[in-house]
Amino acid sequence: MTSFFQARVGAYLLRAENHTDPRIRGRYYENLLAYLLESVPGCQIERNSLNNYGTEEVDLTVANYRFPDGLPMLPELFIIECKNWSVPVDSTVLGYFVNVVVDRGCTLGVLAAANGITGRQEHRDRAYAIGTSALVRGIRILVITSDDMAGLTCPQDFISLLQSRNLKLTANGTIFLG
């Protein structure tokens, strides 16, 4: 039996995949991530924050009050970038996102890339190098995909996904690309 949570995640993903307007596809993807975070105890979000110069927009800014049944292992503030592209993002997007995380004074960023980061080995190598360099500077980048989110059945699954990616980041010394 499908839970309400699972059905809602599936509906967001379906809308995000099938809409013809890329901006609306992106909005559905952001809505999915907002729903997931709002289902985690102790998380509060702010959406689509533009810096004072108009040069950087953050899709989701998360205040994490670190409730024991929420995300106690993650920092109190972090940002999420949503990329609902029909193709994997390249390493340039990852590098830009690392800079946005730094510019916002955060130590954690979550890149929700619908189709992951490019499979071309050249870009994967660059992505690993960017992830390693960020980690050495104290910046943690977690990458999650639509496939990751499609398997979620309850908020605890989302919490476990983020915990697992955070652990793999430390264990591997670079971002986890699957």
Side-chain angles (χ1 to χ4, degrees):
M1 177 178 231
T2 302
S3 69
F4 176 76
F5 178 88
Q6 190 174 15
R8 193 151 181 204
V9 169
Y12 276 124
L13 282 170
L14 189 62
R15 287 184 188 119
E17 290 170 9
N18 293 328
H19 206 283
T20 56
D21 185 330
R23 289 178 304 158
I24 295 174
R25 285 171 46 99
R27 179 65 63 188
Y28 279 128
Y29 208 60
E30 287 178 23
N31 290 344
L32 167 60
L33 271 296
Y35 173 70
L36 291 173
L37 284 155
E38 289 169 342
S39 71
V40 174
C43 284
Q44 176 184 348
I45 64 164
E46 185 166 320
R47 296 182 65 158
N48 302 311
S49 303
L50 192 62
N51 71 2
N52 286 339
Y53 308 106
T55 57
E56 294 174 347
E57 181 182 29
V58 172
D59 293 333
L60 300 171
T61 305
V62 181
N64 175 24
Y65 298 104
R66 304 176 83 182
F67 287 9
D69 56 346
L71 297 170
M73 84 306 286
L74 297 184
E76 293 168 346
L77 294 169
F78 60 95
I79 62 174
I80 298 182
E81 178 68 19
C82 301
K83 293 294 185 193
N84 187 21
W85 295 2
S86 57
V87 297
V89 300
D90 63 25
S91 57
T92 306
V93 170
L94 177 64
Y96 179 78
F97 182 54
V98 168
N99 289 332
V100 172
V101 172
V102 170
D103 290 350
R104 289 301 202 277
C106 293
T107 59
L108 174 70
V110 177
L111 178 59
N115 289 294
I117 296 178
T118 187
R120 288 183 49 206
Q121 191 59 47
E122 167 188 2
H123 284 286
R124 288 179 75 82
D125 290 346
R126 289 177 186 162
Y128 286 131
I130 291 166
T132 300
S133 175
L135 188 57
V136 167
R137 295 184 306 169
I139 307 300
R140 304 178 74 76
I141 302 295
L142 310 180
V143 179
I144 59 175
T145 67
S146 289
D147 286 345
D148 293 327
M149 291 181 278
L152 303 176
T153 62
C154 63
Q156 183 57 47
D157 288 349
F158 183 60
I159 292 167
S160 295
L161 172 63
L162 293 176
Q163 287 174 327
S164 172
R165 292 296 153 86
N166 198 32
L167 178 62
K168 287 179 193 258
L169 176 65
T170 299
N172 295 331
T174 189
I175 59 172
F176 178 76
L177 300 179

